[in-house]
Amino acid sequence: MAASGEPGRQWQEEVAAVVVVGSCMTDLVSFKRLPAFLGSWPLPTSSKQAMVSQVFLTWHHSEAYFLPSSSTFLTSRLPKTGETIHGHKFFIGFGGKGANQCVQAARLGAKTSMVCKVGKDSFGNDYIENLKQNDISTEFTYQTQDAATGTASIIVNNEGQNIIIIVAGANLLLNTEDLREAAKAISRAKVMICQLEVTPETSLEALTMAHSNGVKTLFNPAPAIADLDPRFYALSDVFCCNETEAEILTGLTVNSPADAGKAAQVLLERGCQVVIITLGAEGCVMLSQTEPVPKHIPTEKVKAVDTTGAGDSFVGALAFYLAYYPNLSLEEMLKRANFIAAVSVQAAGTQSSYPYKKDLPLDLF
C-alpha cells in the first residue's frame, strides 16, 4: 500500500502525463565561506531542516552520486583527499535525481506522479509533504521501516561546481511489487523517466513495462554503470547522459562537443532511438536513428551560482516537452531544456533553484 495514503481527488480524475520511477534524497549542504547569494537562499521550512552556524568538512576518497535527500556544502574550493576545512553554513534540502526531475516537470505545468520509496522517518515524512507541495501525485510514494530515507552530501565551491556522495537507503528497496501497483499509472503516461539511483533491475522492469504499453521512455543512466545491461539501450526511446556518464559507458574521453558526438554514435549503435549527451555550459549534443549525424545544441552563457541538479532540471524539462509539445522538433525541445537548466544554475540549491512556468518567458510554452 502506498504510504502516503489514498490519492487526492485531482489524481483520481487526472492521469499523470509524466511518471518518474526513481529516487528521493535528502540533501545536506555546506559552505566553507559565506557566498554573497546566501542571504537570499530559500531555506526549508521544516523544523527538522535547521541551519547551523559552522561545520567542518572532511573529504575522503569515495564514489559520488545523487541521493533522494541531500545536503549541500558550499566552499571557496573543494577539499583535497584527507583534508579538513572549515565550513560556515549548513542546511538540509530535497534532492534525488528522480524527484528532482519530477519536480522540474511539475513546475513547468506537467501532471506528474512519483514512484519511489522513502524511509518511515522524519526525512521521509518531510519528503512526501514536499512532493505534495509541488503538486506531484504521491499515490505510489512508499515508505519502509527497513531502511532510512536516502541522503546526499553535497559540497559546492565558489564557482558553483560540486562533488556529491550518496547513501541510497530506501531507494534500493523499490521493487517489482511496487511497480505492479503503479502499473496502471505507468501504462497511461505519455512519458516515463528512469535513472539508476534505484536498483538497475527495478529501472529495467519499469522501462520494459512502459515500452510494452507504448509509453515514451526517457532513461538517464546515472550514476553510470560501465557494464550496463544491453536491454537498457533497446528500451530507451531517449537516452540522456552527461559527459562523465558517457565516458564511463563508452570508454571514450568526452571533452568537447565533437567528442560527445563520437560517444553518442557508440551509444546509438547499441540500440537507442535518440541519444543526448549534456555538456553543462556547452549545452548538449543530439543524435538519433533518423538523424545519425551529431548536432551540437549550444546554450547561453550564464554566471553559475550552483550547478547541483542542473542535469535533472534539463531532463525534467525535456520530459515536459516530450509529453505536452510532441510536435516540436527535438532540437527545439533541447534548446528550451537548455534554457531552463541554465536558469536553475543561477540560483542556489537543487529543487529550490528550479524555475516555475510563471517565471519563464512565454515563448517557451
Side-chain angles (χ1 to χ4, degrees):
M1 179 178 178
S4 56
E6 293 300 318
R9 179 174 299 175
Q10 64 170 319
W11 295 109
Q12 293 174 340
E13 296 174 349
E14 298 176 332
V15 175
V18 177
V19 173
V20 180
V21 177
S23 58
C24 292
M25 304 271 185
T26 296
D27 291 340
L28 310 174
V29 184
S30 298
F31 302 71
K32 178 182 184 298
R33 188 173 63 195
L34 183 63
F37 57 78
L38 183 59
S40 60
W41 192 305
L43 296 176
T45 56
S46 168
S47 60
K48 302 179 186 68
Q49 298 169 340
M51 173 176 278
V52 298
S53 61
Q54 187 176 57
V55 295
F56 292 90
L57 307 180
T58 302
W59 174 250
H60 295 290
H61 182 66
S62 181
E63 291 184 87
Y65 303 100
F66 285 86
L67 292 179
S69 294
S70 56
S71 54
T72 304
F73 303 79
L74 288 104
T75 73
S76 57
R77 63 177 177 82
L78 301 177
K80 299 176 182 177
T81 301
E83 180 185 16
T84 299
I85 61 177
H86 280 283
H88 295 282
K89 291 294 178 182
F90 169 82
F91 73 88
I92 299 174
F94 299 106
K97 297 192 73 62
N100 291 346
Q101 293 162 8
C102 197
V103 166
Q104 181 63 92
R107 290 187 179 183
L108 296 177
K111 296 300 180 184
T112 58
S113 181
M114 187 73 203
V115 182
C116 60
K117 186 165 283 186
V118 297
K120 206 168 186 63
D121 50 34
S122 60
F123 283 146
N125 294 338
D126 285 348
Y127 216 107
I128 290 171
E129 183 59 29
N130 174 60
L131 294 174
K132 290 178 178 178
Q133 289 181 3
N134 279 282
D135 293 325
I136 295 168
S137 171
T138 58
E139 181 177 0
F140 304 108
T141 297
Y142 306 94
Q143 282 186 289
T144 178
Q145 294 181 329
D146 296 329
T149 299
T151 56
S153 295
I154 304 171
I155 302 175
V156 181
N157 67 11
N158 283 353
E159 285 70 48
Q161 302 303 310
N162 63 70
I163 54 176
I164 303 170
I165 305 172
I166 68 168
V167 178
N171 291 290
L172 298 181
L173 299 185
L174 189 68
N175 57 37
T176 297
E177 183 179 344
D178 300 326
L179 291 181
R180 287 175 181 165
E181 288 191 27
K184 185 175 181 181
I186 292 172
S187 66
R188 297 172 70 187
K190 293 181 179 179
V191 177
M192 192 207 65
I193 312 173
C194 279
Q195 324 77 30
L196 291 174
E197 285 185 340
V198 298
T199 64
E201 294 78 14
T202 299
S203 288
L204 189 60
E205 182 166 354
L207 287 168
T208 300
M209 187 180 295
H211 191 75
S212 64
N213 282 281
V215 177
K216 187 173 289 292
T217 55
L218 172 51
F219 179 51
N220 175 216
I225 301 172
D227 58 345
L228 187 66
D229 188 315
R231 289 176 292 177
F232 277 104
Y233 300 104
L235 291 169
S236 299
D237 291 317
V238 180
F239 190 96
C240 182
C241 61
N242 66 22
E243 63 266 58
T244 302
E245 292 148 5
E247 288 184 347
I248 293 171
L249 292 166
T250 66
L252 300 176
T253 300
V254 180
N255 289 324
S256 67
D259 292 342
K262 294 175 183 176
Q265 288 177 320
V266 171
L267 296 172
L268 194 72
E269 290 170 0
R270 295 178 183 175
C272 306
Q273 293 303 304
V274 173
V275 176
I276 300 162
I277 298 181
T278 59
L279 302 169
E282 296 300 317
C284 63
V285 167
M286 61 171 278
L287 189 64
S288 69
Q289 295 289 351
T290 55
E291 296 182 35
V293 177
K295 186 162 191 177
H296 178 216
I297 313 296
T299 189
E300 66 175 272
K301 303 300 181 183
V302 299
K303 172 61 176 176
V305 169
D306 181 2
T307 61
T308 307
D312 296 332
S313 173
F314 178 92
V315 171
L318 177 58
F320 167 77
Y321 288 115
L322 288 168
Y324 288 90
Y325 294 85
N327 293 327
L328 281 179
S329 68
L330 179 59
E331 181 177 351
E332 181 60 28
M333 290 184 192
L334 297 179
K335 287 179 179 178
R336 298 184 187 193
N338 272 343
F339 182 92
I340 291 167
V343 171
S344 78
V345 305
Q346 296 176 70
T350 306
Q351 292 177 18
S352 59
S353 73
Y354 291 172
Y356 290 84
K357 179 178 181 178
K358 64 181 177 63
D359 300 319
L360 293 166
L362 293 176
D363 59 8
L364 290 177
F365 305 95

